[in-house]
Amino acid sequence: MKKILTALVLGAAALAATAQTPAPGAPTADAGTVKFAVNGMVCAFCAQGIEKRLTKMSETGPLYINLAKKVVAVQPKPGMSIDVAKVKAEIVEAGYEVTSTQAVPQTVAAIRAEMKGK
């Protein structure tokens, strides 16, 4: 158990270090929304915690969080792009696991409408 905890702490520290200093060519979503698959979100409080962290970021615009589908969608503000590693780090630091990311051409509103239809 102690080894697992140590590995988690070291992994989180490494992630935080890379998030603070993005490498040249770090992934960004230049013109679209980024969807994150997130494990560990189970209640409205979970969604609220993620939303609070992401809305504080200067480049994030509209957000959509779907607990049932375990999706967080982030759209950049006009003229800006999403730093995928930075957003992922915020979600991880909030206590959740990001299992995948996907840049999509849809707006958050379109994703919300699509998810409601399913």
Side-chain angles (χ1 to χ4, degrees), residues 91-112:
I91 295 170
V92 169
E93 286 177 23
Y96 306 96
E97 176 190 15
V98 176
T99 58
S100 68
T101 61
Q102 178 185 15
V104 295
Q106 302 133 306
T107 64
V108 163
I111 292 168
R112 180 179 290 116

Side-chain angles (χ1 to χ4, degrees), residues 21-39:
T21 54
T28 61
D30 291 329
T33 302
V34 181
K35 285 172 53 175
F36 297 85
V38 180
N39 280 338

Side-chain angles (χ1 to χ4, degrees), residues 10-89:
L10 292 175
L15 180 62
T18 58
Q20 292 171 359
T21 54
T28 61
D30 291 329
T33 302
V34 181
K35 285 172 53 175
F36 297 85
V38 180
N39 280 338
M41 297 187 304
V42 295
C43 64
F45 184 74
C46 297
Q48 184 181 29
I50 291 172
E51 182 179 17
K52 186 175 180 180
R53 282 178 163 270
L54 297 183
T55 55
K56 288 183 180 179
M57 298 175 69
S58 62
E59 68 268 22
T60 58
L63 302 172
Y64 173 65
I65 300 174
N66 185 309
L67 294 172
K69 303 281 185 188
K70 300 181 181 192
V71 170
V72 174
V74 183
Q75 185 177 325
K77 287 181 181 172
M80 300 189 90
S81 61
I82 296 295
D83 182 334
V84 175
K86 191 175 170 185
V87 173
K88 181 178 177 179

